[in-house]
Amino acid sequence: MKAATMRSLICACALWCCACMAIGQRADPASDAPEARTPPTTPLYEPASYDDALARWRGADDVNAWIGARFQYDMVRALRLSETQRARHGRLPIHAPDAFFAAPKGVCVDLSRFAVETLRRIDPASRPSYLMIEFAPAPIQGQVLRRHWVARFERDGQLFFFADSKRPGHIAGPYADNAAYIKDYAAYRGRDIVAFRDMDSTERKTRTLAARQPREDRR
């Protein structure tokens, strides 16, 4: 067999294997914790402080690279922020970006706050905001977990989503709108999404929706 033909066969087999892995990739629906780390395409810069990061980072790629390398999921905090615990004991404060930088351990809402508020300071033209996702309620370790937060930004007229505690270091996109992302994300997570909403802040109160099909709440 000629060398060129052999190389072609090897490449074809490699692409087939990658396709099979992509098709079979599914997240554990019972957790918001990371499945695996996504190697960032942007070199990681290690700032000495949060102020140093604000001075040196230029955009979402820099923030994403740091998240991929440093974020740690806090399962204990996740359970304390569950619907069940909040109903019993009230809300917990969300980590401020500078505190999160010093100790990058938390849950989805801590991570998305860090990403959105940092990006608003270093690249406001990307129009960073939150996307709040509401899953169908699911009990995890006796607690009900329903809401999930990711960060969103714009680039070249398209939408990108990142700072996801499930896959730190991953930037999803481009997408034309939120609904296209939600369709892909629901398939990846293996959970029904009943609603989603753009949010300017994590502090606004949101109401529970009972729609069976994912829809965007514009209120």
Side-chain angles (χ1 to χ4, degrees):
M1 184 179 291
K2 292 183 180 180
T5 303
M6 179 62 74
R7 285 195 297 270
S8 297
L9 287 173
I10 292 172
C11 290
C13 288
L15 290 172
W16 180 81
C17 290
C18 289
C20 288
M21 288 188 290
I23 292 170
Q25 184 183 24
R26 291 292 184 273
D28 176 6
S31 173
D32 284 343
E35 297 292 313
R37 298 283 169 169
T38 301
T41 56
T42 301
L44 172 64
Y45 171 73
E46 291 279 16
S49 65
Y50 186 58
D51 286 341
D52 185 32
L54 294 176
R56 293 178 177 269
W57 287 347
R58 294 293 176 262
D61 293 325
D62 296 315
V63 180
N64 181 63
W66 185 86
I67 287 172
R70 295 290 169 258
F71 174 68
Q72 298 178 52
Y73 190 76
D74 189 341
M75 179 58 77
V76 173
R77 180 170 169 78
L79 296 176
R80 291 184 65 193
L81 284 167
S82 68
E83 299 288 322
T84 313
Q85 291 300 315
R86 282 193 293 137
R88 292 176 183 170
H89 306 296
R91 298 180 61 184
L92 286 175
I94 300 166
H95 295 326
D98 55 346
F100 183 84
F101 180 89
K105 184 176 182 179
V107 296
C108 62
V109 69
D110 302 308
L111 183 61
S112 62
R113 181 185 179 185
F114 174 81
V116 169
E117 293 194 16
T118 300
L119 205 52
R120 282 174 175 169
R121 296 183 67 176
I122 65 174
D123 184 19
S126 66
R127 300 180 64 186
S129 62
Y130 301 91
L131 185 67
M132 189 277 289
I133 299 169
E134 186 174 330
F135 291 111
I140 299 174
Q141 296 186 25
Q143 309 299 323
V144 175
L145 300 180
R146 182 174 57 189
R147 289 176 182 157
H148 186 67
W149 297 77
V150 297
R152 191 188 81 166
F153 68 95
E154 298 180 18
R155 180 185 289 166
D156 299 327
Q158 300 288 302
L159 301 180
F160 295 81
F161 302 82
F162 80 123
D164 180 2
S165 66
K166 194 65 174 171
R167 43 185 181 182
H170 177 77
I171 297 179
Y175 287 96
D177 53 32
N178 288 338
Y181 167 73
I182 288 296
K183 181 180 179 180
D184 283 351
Y185 196 64
Y188 165 68
R189 291 297 301 264
R191 293 184 65 182
D192 290 334
I193 295 175
V194 298
F196 57 94
R197 185 197 300 185
D198 281 323
M199 302 285 284
D200 292 328
S201 167
T202 61
E203 297 303 316
R204 285 176 54 189
K205 294 183 179 180
T206 59
R207 67 182 180 90
T208 301
L209 300 181
R212 293 192 60 82
Q213 296 296 325
R215 73 180 186 185
E216 186 166 8
D217 177 17
R218 297 183 180 276
R219 284 184 46 175

